[in-house]
Amino acid sequence: DAKTTQPTSMDCAEGRAANLPCNHSTISGNEYVYWYRQIHSQGPQYIIHGLKNNETNEMASLIITEDRKSSTLILPHATLRDTAVYYCIVRVNYGGSQGNLIFGKGTKLSVKP
Amino acid sequence: DGGITQSPKYLFRKEGQNVTLSCEQNLNHDAMYWYRQDPGQGLRLIYYSQIVNDFQKGDIAEGYSVSREKKESFPLTVTSAQKNPTAFYLCASALGSYRSLDEKLFFGSGTQLSVL
């Protein structure tokens, strides 16, 4: 199973870009990289996902390296409401049918005024 | 509004008691999941269901049971065999099992289960 490695915690100043790294060196060719975040005592919220190309949506940008062994989630203008635990996840396949997302401990991002 | 609803928000279990956590979705999703989260930890998969009347064990299924009689509903029972049930339980759903790898999970707001 492809695993991910993330820093335990990070700080970011309000209004600045938050760059959250993730290593997934054992990722397979058809596995997607997903990012979710979880605000305390709530369910995780989907942010973005990608396969090879960089992706952008209204919440964030996802930069995937050419060898796909690492990626970076970018929150362009962090606000206090972005304080949360961010999970980087690689999709795992079981027998070719739907894979299940394996959540590690994530990165606790603290946005400070 | 479409979404996934978990109830109750807080639940207390007495010693030797079975309790059932509710999860309902109106997103017309085929797949549903139950995760357990302990303080400061990530999510661990308990059970998942890819289609009605079928479900599979996840990584920590012992002491839990589920049913999937309706597409919209995936209740989780925490049995007396689960000796350490205190945790935050999250239900999730996804569009479908067999179409592609490109799917995202939608989560409920969770149930906090505590032992009296």
Side-chain angles (χ1 to χ4, degrees):
Chain A
D1 297 348
K3 298 272 194 299
T4 62
T5 304
Q6 299 177 253
T8 302
S9 63
M10 293 181 64
D11 291 339
C12 178
E14 188 178 18
R16 304 297 292 269
N19 297 285
L20 290 86
C22 180
N23 287 319
H24 32 78
S25 58
T26 60
I27 192 170
S28 299
N30 62 351
E31 288 179 317
Y32 284 77
V33 179
Y34 283 79
W35 283 84
Y36 287 77
R37 72 179 182 184
Q38 185 177 24
I39 296 170
H40 183 63
S41 297
Q42 297 182 23
Q45 174 192 24
Y46 165 82
I47 301 173
I48 199 167
H49 72 281
L51 183 62
K52 295 180 183 178
N53 299 322
N54 298 337
E55 302 287 344
T56 296
N57 63 21
E58 65 279 2
M59 290 183 68
S61 295
L62 174 61
I63 309 299
I64 302 175
T65 58
E66 192 169 342
D67 62 8
R68 302 210 324 124
K69 292 185 177 182
S70 66
S71 60
T72 302
L73 178 75
I74 301 172
L75 307 179
H77 305 287
T79 70
L80 298 179
R81 289 179 296 178
D82 292 322
T83 292
V85 176
Y86 287 77
Y87 296 99
C88 168
I89 300 152
V90 173
R91 179 71 173 269
V92 175
N93 279 324
Y94 287 110
S97 61
Q98 183 180 26
N100 300 303
L101 302 182
I102 296 177
F103 288 76
K105 295 185 181 181
T107 295
K108 182 173 173 52
L109 175 69
S110 298
V111 180
K112 300 182 183 302
Chain B
D1 288 339
I4 183 164
T5 303
Q6 290 186 241
S7 61
K9 180 71 174 173
Y10 300 95
L11 186 59
F12 297 91
R13 192 191 91 165
K14 295 179 181 178
E15 194 95 18
Q17 185 183 38
N18 293 354
V19 292
T20 297
L21 284 62
S22 170
C23 179
E24 303 278 333
Q25 54 98 359
N26 60 3
L27 300 167
N28 200 32
H29 285 174
D30 286 319
M32 296 187 74
Y33 303 80
W34 274 106
Y35 289 89
R36 169 181 171 140
Q37 186 174 33
D38 292 284
Q41 304 296 313
L43 281 66
R44 292 185 290 168
L45 182 65
I46 305 173
Y47 268 98
Y48 65 100
S49 168
Q50 296 181 358
I51 199 166
V52 175
N53 293 321
D54 184 58
F55 50 82
Q56 308 294 329
K57 292 182 180 180
D59 301 320
I60 55 165
E62 186 174 349
Y64 300 97
S65 66
V66 293
S67 63
R68 186 84 188 278
E69 297 176 1
K70 297 187 301 182
K71 187 175 185 177
E72 307 80 40
S73 179
F74 191 42
L76 173 74
T77 297
V78 183
T79 74
S80 56
Q82 174 48 246
K83 298 306 179 187
N84 185 23
T86 296
F88 189 52
Y89 290 86
L90 286 158
C91 180
S93 69
L95 181 60
S97 319
Y98 305 107
R99 292 165 222 189
S100 75
L101 292 171
D102 182 4
E103 294 182 18
K104 56 189 178 186
L105 289 177
F106 293 81
F107 283 86
S109 56
T111 293
Q112 176 64 49
L113 175 62
S114 302
V115 176
L116 289 175

